[in-house]
Amino acid sequence: MDQNKRRRTRVDAGFRVVLHKEEFDAFVESHNLSLKGILCDPVKGFFVGDECEVSIPLSEDAIIRVNAKIVRSDEHGLAADFHHMDEVSFTHLRRLVQFNAEDADTIDSELTSPAFDA
């Protein structure tokens, strides 16, 4: 997608994440992250349209857990679109993105505009 069409800032993110689908866990590295989604290394067994949970462990006590839908899965990477998370996970995600963004204030301003056209 053209970077100018994105409505959420993506930050470089080399985090270890867990993708969980049914009884399958995949441990992968992320490439970038936003409040709306994540791009990771390619993962076999995950297909476009699959629902999954993305977990980003920050510490033993702090884990971002997000329900997501796979929107891309090919040899270049796996992209998941976030659609549900609890308040604690959202707060951790927002702060993680802010911490890694060039302009942290931009992240909060993005929260006042829709992530997609209605």
Side-chain angles (χ1 to χ4, degrees):
M1 175 182 258
D2 180 8
Q3 183 67 28
N4 294 328
K5 292 182 181 179
R6 287 202 172 121
R7 298 205 180 161
R8 297 291 180 254
T9 299
R10 288 199 170 265
V11 296
D12 290 334
F15 304 108
R16 188 88 164 142
V17 302
V18 181
L19 302 174
H20 177 78
K21 179 180 87 164
E22 299 163 0
E23 298 300 317
F24 181 66
D25 289 330
F27 298 85
V28 296
E29 293 291 320
S30 62
H31 295 270
N32 62 50
L33 177 70
S34 75
L35 295 177
K36 188 72 177 105
I38 191 166
L39 176 64
C40 304
D41 288 339
V43 181
K44 291 183 180 181
F46 284 77
F47 305 98
V48 172
D50 285 352
E51 294 288 329
C52 68
E53 180 184 81
V54 177
S55 297
I56 305 170
L58 304 174
S59 71
E60 285 186 30
D61 298 327
I63 300 173
I64 299 169
R65 294 184 198 282
V66 184
N67 293 332
K69 185 175 191 174
I70 305 302
V71 294
R72 184 178 115 199
S73 183
D74 57 30
E75 68 276 359
H76 301 291
L78 180 141
D81 184 45
F82 298 158
H83 60 76
H84 183 264
M85 68 190 88
D86 64 26
E87 288 182 45
V88 173
S89 287
F90 178 75
T91 299
H92 287 312
L93 177 63
R94 182 174 57 94
R95 295 195 188 217
L96 182 62
V97 172
Q98 283 177 317
F99 182 76
N100 288 282
E102 288 183 27
D103 180 6
D105 294 332
T106 300
I107 306 308
D108 281 336
S109 68
E110 291 175 358
L111 296 175
T112 61
S113 64
F116 51 87
D117 291 325

